[in-house]
Amino acid sequence: MREIFASLVFDRREMKQRLPQDVYENLIGAMEGRQKIDSGIADTVALAMKDWAVSNGASHWAHWFHPLHEHTAEKHTAFLTADAEGAPIELFRGKDLMQSEPDASSFPSGGTRSTFEARGYSAWDPTSPAFIIKSPKGGTLCIPSVFIAYDGSPLDLKTYLLRSLDAVESRALKLLKLFGNRGVRYVRATLGGEQEFFLLDRPRAQKRPDLRFCGRTLIGSKPPRDQKMEDHYFGTIPPKVLAYMEDVQRDLARLGVDLATRHNEAARCQFEFAPNFSEANLACDQNQIIMETMRKLASQHDLRLLFHEKPFDCLNGSGKHTNFSLEDSEGRNLLKPSTNHRKNVIFLSFLTSFVLGASEYSGLLQASVSTPGNLYRLGGQEAPPFIMSVYLGDTIDRMLTAVEKAAGRDEDMPEKSTLDLGLDKLPTIIAYDSDRNRTSPIAFTGNKFEFRAPGASQAMAIPATFIFAIWAAGLEKFNEKFSAHLKKGADVLDAALATIREVSKASRKIRFEGDSYSEEWRREAEKRGIVKAETIPEGIDLFLEPKSVEMLSKLGVFTPREMEAFHTIRLEAFVNSIEIEISLLRDMMFEGFLPSISKQLKLENESIASVKDMRIPHIDAWKKHIELLAKSKAEIIVKTKELELLKEKMAELEPREHAEAIIVKALPLMKKIRELCDEAEGYISKENLAYPKYRALMSLSTQLSE
């Protein structure tokens, strides 16, 4: 992989080779946030970028951006054009690089603009390198960009992410300066997303309309071999999947994406890729590249890729565990404990500032993962519950408790493998001292935090934006308290410890070290006042908590108007997603499942008629079986008609009322229809069943037989 790594990326290596020294230095300064990019160098950069792209087979270029619907967008423009005399020339100018104008009328805006207001601008983000997406007949130069409306309102996820990163990085740098670290030039947020997914045999999966259009099964009884054997996790990767994974890794390597691990996940046909940590903005771009590359190659391998959070009932769902930290300009991870007591006090300062932000604004974290897919995933099969809490591990939790009480060194702390803070005021820290808590939504895992609640299909920029915004808010409060102690003449370390003590006490309500699935924790969480939402629509409403809106506005991440628009978009996405499922469920009943029951009833009636003159023991049981099957069909018809009528009535409601009606009325109806179907499925022959069963889907055999 070394010889092809980043061969399709216009990275610093290519820039240095192709750009004049002064232009290169100006561009690097802009990429590192030390200065604004000089528009005067745009033509030089554009020419070099175009020559590089064309030499690698690219025929088109596109500003590549992330609209608020969470997918990517691009408008391809040819390099080749004609001059005034009709002669062909390759053209890509500085103004093309800096800004483009795709039609913005069809992208989500949350009602901030009318559909006839079509003007939108994409603008180059130099902090994320351009790359080439190859195609059979060439390729396209993709230029990572922001996307804004005519009035300057963001129409993309990157703009909000960049604002959030600026907020947290500037406040993190300020904290380091308060500690006297004058040599640090900048702080960068780092991110790594563990991407879980399912792979199915494509011919089988294509026979299921629900998988094709919803990404999950709307009906289907539990297979005999589900996760009972617990033999899939970290097992031998099936050859067909390994061949696919190797091709994905090869193509991603060319795009500069370093996948660190690949393995089987807990459920059958479930797998995971995990890239190495990188700068947060780049990590979010690369996660989109990972997902697009996986989609493209899955069809080439005759596989069906599923990113849905819960494709199969009663089996593990898929998350996108989001790991995050901060790194200074010297490459130091600010969440890594150390044997140096000063560094450990800095570590505790950054750790407790995040916990403080999470305690104050946990609603934003809950809102960020309130998605249609997480409706089915959160709260079971290793997915964390909907209630936000932070797990720090026994040692750090006990240490912070000691700090809160201003206790001396804890003599009961184990001596082995400890990291001594070197201060009598603090106990020792044990590196990786406790087991990981899979039930915790947010866990400290030794040198980073892991947010386990985001779903596999989500754009990582959404949870990342709010993670770093609340961390910025926590750092803001920490810095204020720290500065106040310093102004009173306190020693730096004493001032820091006093601040750690205060913020640790203030954030204790969000910390929990036990089983987050337990009913005892739920009752305790209610006492602490951190149960904020019970349903996905209620979770989406948490975007509009007044204190959160005020904080985001103060930090410059979202204006109140932008937050309202974002809330509207997320609510509409939820409603539209479930509406599609309702329509598909109705179609699957009348087009496939109900006729399947009829075929089985005909078979049963013909069979029982053929033996009517025989003395068959227990013939009444057979008749009862036929009667129950017929009754199931009648009930399914009634419930499906009821759901169809409800859908028509809900269409007249406002989005928030519509969402509530889905939760209260539609979902229970859909669940009942599923239960009826799943029970009846067990009595229908494979030949008569319209759709492949779970046991057929959960196999990657090349044979279509079960």
Side-chain angles (χ1 to χ4, degrees):
M1 291 288 185
R2 180 180 298 179
E3 64 277 7
I4 65 170
F5 190 79
S7 59
L8 297 179
V9 182
F10 194 67
D11 56 12
R12 295 189 183 205
R13 178 190 56 188
E14 289 292 341
M15 293 176 194
K16 193 166 188 177
Q17 289 179 356
R18 294 174 179 271
L19 295 173
Q21 184 65 23
D22 59 331
V23 174
Y24 172 76
E25 290 177 356
N26 182 279
L27 186 53
I28 295 302
M31 291 171 63
E32 293 181 351
R34 292 184 279 109
Q35 62 189 65
K36 288 192 175 182
I37 192 165
D38 182 356
S39 59
I41 71 170
D43 282 331
T44 303
V45 176
L47 178 62
M49 194 181 289
K50 184 261 296 179
D51 288 345
W52 169 79
V54 171
S55 71
N56 280 282
S59 60
H60 290 69
W61 64 272
H63 276 183
W64 182 79
F65 54 96
H66 308 255
L68 294 168
H69 55 44
E70 297 196 65
H71 298 283
T72 59
E74 55 202 55
K75 176 185 176 183
H76 296 191
T77 302
F79 284 125
L80 191 64
T81 187
D83 63 14
E85 298 178 357
I89 59 170
E90 288 174 344
L91 190 64
F92 182 60
R93 301 156 296 186
K95 66 177 184 179
D96 298 323
L97 171 64
M98 296 292 287
Q99 183 174 299
S100 185
E101 190 181 334
D103 188 329
S105 61
S106 297
F107 291 107
S109 68
T112 58
R113 62 208 312 266
S114 302
T115 54
F116 63 80
E117 296 175 309
R119 196 178 296 277
Y121 299 106
S122 55
W124 176 35
D125 169 22
T127 65
S128 187
F131 56 93
I132 296 171
I133 295 296
K134 297 291 286 184
S135 60
K137 297 183 179 180
T140 302
L141 172 67
C142 294
I143 304 161
S145 306
V146 298
F147 185 46
I148 58 175
Y150 180 71
D151 64 356
S153 300
L155 295 172
D156 69 328
L157 298 175
K158 183 185 279 281
T159 299
Y160 294 121
L161 175 66
L162 291 174
R163 290 176 179 177
S164 179
L165 294 177
D166 181 67
V168 72
E169 290 168 358
S170 61
R171 286 158 179 81
L173 182 60
K174 181 179 179 180
L175 178 53
L176 289 177
K177 298 295 186 183
L178 289 173
F179 272 105
N181 294 358
R182 304 301 176 190
V184 177
R185 294 178 288 117
Y186 59 80
V187 173
R188 290 285 177 265
T190 56
L191 206 60
E194 302 169 24
Q195 182 67 63
E196 296 177 341
F197 56 95
F198 279 82
L199 286 172
L200 307 179
D201 179 80
R202 188 174 184 83
R204 292 191 189 100
Q206 290 298 94
K207 294 181 179 180
R208 300 263 327 201
D210 47 4
L211 287 177
R212 288 167 57 199
F213 297 104
C214 302
R216 81 176 188 100
T217 55
L218 301 177
I219 58 174
S221 59
K222 191 175 180 179
R225 182 186 175 92
D226 44 27
Q227 294 174 211
K228 292 186 182 72
M229 302 304 294
E230 297 181 338
D231 58 352
H232 190 259
Y233 190 59
F234 280 14
T236 302
I237 300 173
K240 187 173 183 178
V241 174
L242 184 59
Y244 164 75
M245 286 180 161
E246 288 172 339
D247 281 356
V248 169
Q249 288 191 273
R250 178 206 61 216
D251 281 15
L252 288 174
R254 292 192 177 108
L255 294 169
V257 181
D258 180 16
L259 292 182
T261 62
R262 64 191 186 200
H263 62 83
N264 290 3
E265 258 298 335
R268 293 181 69 199
C269 298
Q270 187 186 31
F271 308 92
E272 180 184 296
F273 279 131
N276 279 316
F277 256 48
S278 60
E279 186 275 325
N281 179 37
L282 178 61
C284 289
D285 282 353
Q286 289 186 341
N287 184 252
Q288 292 282 20
I289 293 171
I290 289 169
M291 295 172 76
E292 287 302 316
T293 302
M294 291 173 67
R295 290 187 183 102
K296 178 179 68 175
L297 289 175
S299 60
Q300 294 180 17
H301 283 259
D302 212 20
L303 294 168
R304 178 67 166 91
L305 174 68
L306 301 177
F307 283 129
H308 194 284
E309 283 72 10
K310 195 73 168 177
F312 301 100
D313 193 33
C314 301
L315 299 177
N316 266 37
S318 293
K320 190 183 310 238
H321 302 170
T322 302
N323 300 275
F324 58 96
S325 187
L326 294 170
E327 183 180 270
D328 69 14
S329 56
E330 303 302 314
R332 290 182 288 254
N333 180 355
L334 300 177
L335 283 182
K336 183 178 180 180
S338 170
T339 54
N340 180 289
H341 68 272
R342 182 184 182 87
K343 290 180 181 178
N344 268 324
V345 173
I346 295 174
F347 152 72
L348 288 173
S349 299
F350 281 99
L351 181 138
T352 55
S353 64
F354 171 75
V355 179
L356 177 64
S359 177
E360 291 291 318
Y361 305 104
S362 63
L364 286 176
L365 293 175
Q366 194 167 3
S368 74
V369 297
S370 294
T371 65
N374 267 342
L375 170 70
Y376 309 102
R377 167 181 168 258
L378 292 179
Q381 265 99 26
E382 294 191 355
F386 206 25
I387 302 169
M388 293 294 110
S389 63
V390 176
Y391 170 82
L392 296 177
D394 293 341
T395 298
I396 294 179
D397 184 67
R398 288 164 57 195
M399 176 193 63
L400 289 179
T401 300
V403 173
E404 290 167 21
K405 297 176 179 177
R409 185 181 299 275
D410 186 348
E411 299 298 340
D412 295 327
M413 299 288 285
E415 294 295 329
K416 188 177 180 181
S417 300
T418 62
L419 300 178
D420 191 349
L421 287 171
L423 291 173
D424 289 338
K425 298 173 184 177
L426 292 176
T428 50
I429 299 177
I430 304 175
Y432 304 101
D433 69 289
S434 60
D435 206 351
R436 294 176 66 185
N437 187 337
R438 286 190 169 275
T439 70
S440 179
I442 311 153
F444 181 69
T445 57
N447 60 358
K448 57 184 172 56
F449 278 104
E450 179 182 29
F451 189 22
R452 297 179 55 82
S457 69
Q458 286 193 256
M460 199 161 60
I462 290 181
T465 295
F466 296 101
I467 284 168
F468 293 120
I470 68 168
W471 202 347
L475 283 165
E476 180 83 1
K477 293 185 178 181
F478 192 99
N479 288 343
E480 289 174 0
K481 294 177 182 293
F482 192 12
S483 296
H485 286 295
L486 290 174
K487 288 177 181 177
K488 293 177 182 177
D491 171 81
V492 169
L493 295 183
D494 285 339
L497 286 170
T499 307
I500 291 167
R501 181 178 300 115
E502 291 172 27
V503 301
S504 184
K505 287 181 179 179
S507 60
R508 175 160 282 280
K509 67 179 180 181
I510 199 74
R511 285 159 43 196
F512 180 64
E513 301 299 305
D515 181 3
S516 297
Y517 286 165
S518 67
E519 186 58 35
E520 290 79 8
W521 163 237
R522 179 177 180 82
R523 290 194 293 268
E524 175 62 23
E526 287 175 348
K527 290 179 184 177
R528 296 186 188 186
I530 60 173
V531 178
K532 291 179 171 288
E534 302 283 355
T535 66
I536 295 297
E538 289 175 359
I540 295 171
D541 287 344
L542 294 175
F543 280 127
L544 298 182
E545 272 193 302
K547 68 175 183 179
S548 294
V549 174
E550 181 182 359
M551 178 271 287
L552 292 168
S553 179
K554 181 180 177 182
L555 293 178
V557 179
F558 282 85
T559 66
R561 177 174 174 266
E562 290 167 355
M563 196 74 258
E564 289 177 5
F566 195 77
H567 168 266
T568 299
I569 290 167
R570 307 309 299 163
L571 196 61
E572 289 175 348
F574 172 78
V575 168
N576 292 338
S577 177
I578 306 301
E579 283 280 290
I580 291 170
E581 291 188 357
I582 290 172
S583 297
L584 255 295
L585 183 60
R586 184 265 174 210
D587 290 348
M588 288 180 71
M589 292 302 99
F590 286 105
E591 294 175 5
F593 199 82
L594 290 172
S596 293
I597 295 179
S598 295
K599 289 178 183 179
Q600 189 67 29
L601 285 171
K602 182 180 178 182
L603 176 65
E604 297 289 354
N605 282 315
E606 289 175 350
S607 298
I608 202 168
S610 68
V611 297
K612 63 180 180 180
D613 296 328
M614 302 179 188
R615 289 186 174 183
I616 305 296
H618 311 298
I619 190 73
D620 289 341
W622 191 353
K623 291 178 180 179
K624 186 69 173 178
H625 166 72
I626 296 172
E627 182 182 328
L628 289 173
L629 201 56
K631 183 180 178 182
S632 293
K633 176 166 183 173
E635 284 191 74
I636 291 170
I637 291 172
V638 170
K639 295 299 180 184
T640 304
K641 289 284 188 181
E642 193 176 334
L643 183 64
E644 197 172 12
L645 181 61
L646 176 62
K647 181 175 178 288
E648 293 174 3
K649 291 181 178 179
M650 290 192 303
E652 302 172 0
L653 301 174
E654 291 298 315
R656 186 60 184 85
E657 294 175 326
H658 195 160
E660 191 64 25
I662 283 173
I663 295 295
V664 175
K665 298 179 180 179
L667 291 181
L669 257 179
M670 294 173 72
K671 182 180 179 182
K672 180 61 179 177
I673 293 169
R674 175 166 199 150
E675 289 171 352
L676 291 167
C677 290
D678 292 357
E679 183 178 3
E681 182 187 279
Y683 301 104
I684 301 174
S685 69
K686 184 176 71 173
E687 292 74 15
N688 287 336
L689 202 60
Y691 311 116
K693 301 174 74 165
Y694 269 22
R695 76 167 189 246
L697 290 170
M698 306 300 289
S699 170
L700 286 166
S701 167
T702 56
Q703 300 298 317
L704 287 179
S705 63
E706 296 179 27

